[in-house]
Amino acid sequence: MPRSLAGGDLAVPEMAQPYMKKDDDDEDVEYSPFFGIEKGAVLQEARAFHDPQLDVRRCSQVITKLLYLLNQGETFTKVEATEVFFAVTKLFQSSDAGLRRLVYLMIKELSPSSDEVIIVTSSLMKDMNSKTDMYRANAIRVLCRIIDGTLLTQIERYLKQAIVDKNPVVASAALVSGIHLAQANPETVKRWSNEVQEAVQSRAPLVQFHGLALLHQIRQNDRLAVSKLVSSLTRGSVRSPLAQCLLIRYTSQVMRESSMNTQNGDRPFFDFLESSLRHKAEMVVLEAARKITEMDVTSRELTPAITVLQLYLSSSKPVLRFAAVRTLNKVAMTRPLAVTNCNVDLESLMSDQNRSIATLAITTLLKTGNESSVDRLIKQITNFMSDIADEFKIVVVEAIRSLCLKFPLKYRSMLNFLSNSLREEGGFEYKKAIVDSIVTLISEIPDAKEIGLLHLCEFIEDCEFTYLSSQILHFLGNEGPRTSDPSRYIRYIYNRVILENATVRASAVSTLAKFGALVDTLKPRIFVLLQRCLFDTEDEVRDRATLYLQTLSGEVPIGNDEKDAKDFLFGSFDVPLANLEASLRTYEPSEEPFDISLVSREVRSLPLKEKAAPGKRPPAAAAAPAPVSTVDAYQKMLSSIPEFSGFGRLFKSSEPMELTEAETEYAVSVVKHIYDGYIVLQYNCANTIEEQLLEDVTVCVDASDAEEFSEICSKPLASLPYNSPGQVFVAFEKPEGVPAVGKFLNLLKFTVKEVDTTTGEADEDGVEDEYQLEDFEIVSSDYMLRVAVSNFRNAWENMDPESERVDEYGLGVRESLAEAVNAVINILGMQPCEGTEVVPKNARSHTCLLSGVFIGNVKALVRLSFGLSGPNEVAMKLAVRSDDPEVSDKIHEIVASG
Amino acid sequence: MILAVLFANSDGNILIERFHGVPAEERLHWRSFLVKLGSENLKGSKNEELHVASHKSVSIVYTTIGDVCLYIVGKDEYDELALAEVIFAITSAVKDVCGKPPTERLFLDKYGRICLCLDEIVWQGLLENTEKDRVRRLIRLKPPVEP
């Protein structure tokens, strides 16, 4: 990197290096006109601005030098800047046009402070009313750059005039100033609406462009006004291609919003967009094509847009090729079939000089290609990979992974490609993307397993990333023992124990032990290897080796048989790791051992906001602890209350549900705690009135609409002072393990005492009072825990097919498919798996996978298949498997009644 | 918004830079990112051949004109197509001022004029004027000739 860049502060002496002429004559050395330029000297020269007889040429040179200094990142101190600014203002005396133009620029560059502005405003105001158009235009631009809100009202009248000035430069200057001013002074600029409207009708193309931009900015929050603006302009003629592009954007925005509202798919402006495809300006055509592809259109409506994009793929202009391939790439994500016609053109772009274009072409082809072209494609990509950067490579690797899942028969060539890429140079993110892809392919395509594992083994022989080595060893331990010849992997694993750092060695010991535990024929040999690990220099490695040797040889009895020992060593936790981590953090060392069965098994979904930001999602551990520790805290708190300590294990606690309106005197919310045979209602109460103290606070619960529940005890709150929340509990008994439902009516009862806010003392006498709370219900989903499974297909197939219950439901007309999917997920209260809760845009059908644990510890899995028939008429097929067929039926009942 | 207009010489030294709506602390990052992009892709490329890239949500269009590299960064409505329009306006104006694709020396000789052209074409992140003839007149404070 050049010196002057490295520091960010581009000092002039460094910058001003001898200029080497690159022509034939190398000896001819020229110097930059700014060679040896120094801030102090230039500031000295600026004194020439004060001369009574101005030397215009000299002044212009000094201003150029000042501009150069500013552009090189040189900063002026406050005093220097003020001095230069005052000197520059003197130059208004000169009537030389060239110098005046430089003065305008210089003032903008110096951006004087508000107390200095006053010096130039009168000169600028004078220029703004000058007869010379160009003085007016420039004065407007300078003024708008430097003034504040109060001054703006003074010159508003002139600006409004300028907007409709017959000179297009003056009008544009005022309009662009308006766009900038609208950010800080939207109300003022809104008043210019009529003038701007007139400017939009201007014959000058640029005035129309700037006018349209400003008018839209003024009206952007008024949907109807934007719609009117668009419909009037789409009928008329817009002269400037730039304005036409804006109009296309606004039109598509109006269409999007109106189709969302009316739901009838009416597209009144579609013809305008389609006609724009035949516009003479390329920019307009591409914009129209892009907007059409972003809309929910039929294949027939899409075709013309794709055709023009295809034409631009072979354009001689790189920008057009880029724009076209970028748009097609987006289309290929949702509608790959629509793009297949362009495959030939896309293939020729793979050798494009511009790597961005080539990468986009490849990833598009990977989405649209068919099975027969895969091998050829892979071959071409291999040549290409060596000369692109890591971030492009990751995009390609991810595209290859999806392609392989689409054409599983082609796994061989794709795995080879991935493994070759592993051997090439590359950073961690790139290698991780490849390893993740291979792991996914192995998990999804059974035939790819052995070959894929061997590729991974070869990689860890020479892997510089500890994280990846450990990940692969763990994966190898799970998958390797179940292959036809597990012994072939042992060499690779044991090599790690000899050659690697402590973290990898420890992982390798665990992997060895898994092979020993699962493959009887290997067990004696594994024992020998593990015994060698007992002499490792690292505690962790030795500890692991000792543990595995003892448990696998049966010296330390765990459970009843060998299976228990294996489960103990290698079984997966049935609690989410984030929950376990949170519980361990809150565990205080004591006589009482840590009990893993008390850790919550519920997966709390991340707040929607975080989900919506792909790539920026914080690590799960960082997001999860807060809610998890609340669940843990509930268990701890409830079991410390004697009345509830005999209720057993807490199955689930709901989110708090508000029972009062916001900002009322008392704020009450309820949390439903579900046990096998009981429920506990926790009312969180807060007193928001400083002049009151509440005592003997109880909640009277009327459960007459919840027949299966009977109240057994209640725990009132002795006192509820201002701003110090407390809890009232009411417990109900219900039939053991039965998901009883019902409605609960609530009334808050208490004694109010007046409080003297100055002393904080309460009156002795109080008045009894009550406060009506909202009702709430216990519903079936309260008995369902959101518990994820890592591999839904395996889990589904491992469940008894006899327990499966299938039925079909008509959901009627819904807002969208995604809305219907979410509604069913909410009714069931189950955990969506494998990202299937996300419905792709424009999808006509969708399958959603859910998993959960129903009360009584019954695992349940649900497959929901949705389909659209007619305009937004949603039909659904629901298949349930569970450990208990009755629960399968129950889930159908929940959906039927929901 | 046009986030940045940046002229650099072939060694990557900045000649003129204009940022709009880019926080000061991010400018260094952009500067080095653009110069790196140019050093990787502009070597041996034809005069005024446009290069294009996208980085996160922004588009970048860049080119060489004579010995000088020109980079323009934009986002939202200033996508690669609009930026191509901007870069075309700037390169035409620079050639017009210099009389030909400039050497670095010539560029620096005409530095003041070029700054004025830039001021006419891009103003605080918005495209204001596009035609070189009009820009040529505007920097001399002469009104444009109406077609």
Side-chain angles (χ1 to χ4, degrees), chain A residues 1-2 4-5 8 10 15 17 19 30-34 64 68 71-72 97 100-101 105 108-109 134-135 138 141 145 168-169 173 176-177 179-180 206 210 242 249 283 286-287 290 318-320 322-323 326 354 356, chain B residues 10-18 28 31-32 35 50-54 67 77 79-81 84-85 103-105 108-109 111-112 115-116 119-120 123-124 126-130 134 138-144 146:
Chain A
M1 189 187 291
S4 51
L5 270 178
L10 306 167
M15 179 57 224
Q17 50 195 296
Y19 167 73
E30 285 182 25
Y31 285 92
S32 151
F34 300 111
T64 309
Y68 181 79
N71 267 314
Q72 295 307 311
R100 181 66 61 87
R101 183 65 188 79
L105 177 58
K108 284 192 277 188
E109 289 286 311
M134 290 306 101
Y135 280 27
N138 278 288
R141 298 201 295 178
R145 173 78 199 269
V169 178
V176 179
S177 301
I179 296 175
H180 287 300
L206 278 172
H210 294 134
L242 285 163
R249 281 192 199 123
M283 194 200 307
L286 273 164
E287 189 65 44
R290 191 174 276 177
V319 173
L320 299 183
F322 180 84
R326 189 158 79 102
N354 186 321
S356 303
Chain B
S10 48
D11 297 332
N13 294 339
I14 309 299
L15 301 174
I16 299 181
E17 62 176 15
R18 286 270 189 288
L28 177 61
R31 225 177 267 151
S32 38
V35 169
L50 289 194
H51 291 250
V52 58
S54 54
D67 290 350
E77 68 271 34
D79 58 9
E80 62 271 21
L81 297 166
E85 199 77 4
T103 59
E104 186 180 341
R105 167 71 203 233
L108 291 174
D109 275 343
Y111 197 82
C115 286
L116 290 178
D119 189 46
E120 292 291 353
W123 187 45
Q124 282 189 278
L126 298 176
L127 175 63
E128 190 164 348
N129 286 300
T130 49
R134 180 192 264 209
L138 291 180
I139 63 170
R140 295 184 173 88
L141 283 184
K142 296 215 169 84
E146 280 307 305

Side-chain angles (χ1 to χ4, degrees), chain A residues 473-540:
Chain A
L473 283 167
H474 175 77
F475 184 68
L476 205 55
N478 290 342
E479 299 294 333
R482 298 193 183 87
T483 55
S484 58
D485 182 11
S487 63
R488 68 208 297 199
Y489 305 107
I490 301 298
R491 178 173 65 88
Y492 296 102
I493 302 167
Y494 189 64
N495 275 348
R496 309 275 69 70
V497 179
I498 303 168
L499 299 168
E500 294 282 0
N501 63 39
T503 313
V504 179
R505 292 204 303 276
S507 305
V509 167
S510 299
T511 307
L512 280 176
K514 282 186 195 171
F515 275 79
L518 295 171
V519 187
D520 283 340
T521 49
L522 287 178
K523 204 168 181 177
R525 284 186 273 166
I526 297 281
F527 266 54
V528 175
L529 295 177
L530 283 177
Q531 268 157 356
R532 290 190 198 166
C533 302
L534 292 175
F535 304 101
D536 196 279
T537 51
E538 178 72 24
D539 297 355
E540 175 70 21

Side-chain angles (χ1 to χ4, degrees), chain A residues 267-327:
Chain A
R267 287 188 290 271
F269 298 116
F270 190 81
D271 289 344
F272 167 71
L273 291 189
E274 204 178 24
S275 68
S276 298
L277 289 176
R278 296 183 288 279
H279 198 276
K280 59 181 186 298
E282 290 148 340
M283 194 200 307
V284 174
V285 177
L286 273 164
E287 189 65 44
R290 191 174 276 177
K291 288 298 165 203
I292 291 177
T293 59
E294 282 170 11
M295 283 188 305
D296 185 12
V297 291
T298 62
S299 303
R300 236 183 70 192
E301 288 166 324
L302 186 63
T303 311
I306 300 289
T307 311
V308 299
L309 290 171
Q310 186 179 3
L311 283 176
Y312 284 121
L313 288 180
S314 44
S315 161
S316 60
K317 297 178 185 168
V319 173
L320 299 183
R321 294 201 300 276
F322 180 84
V325 74
R326 189 158 79 102
T327 311

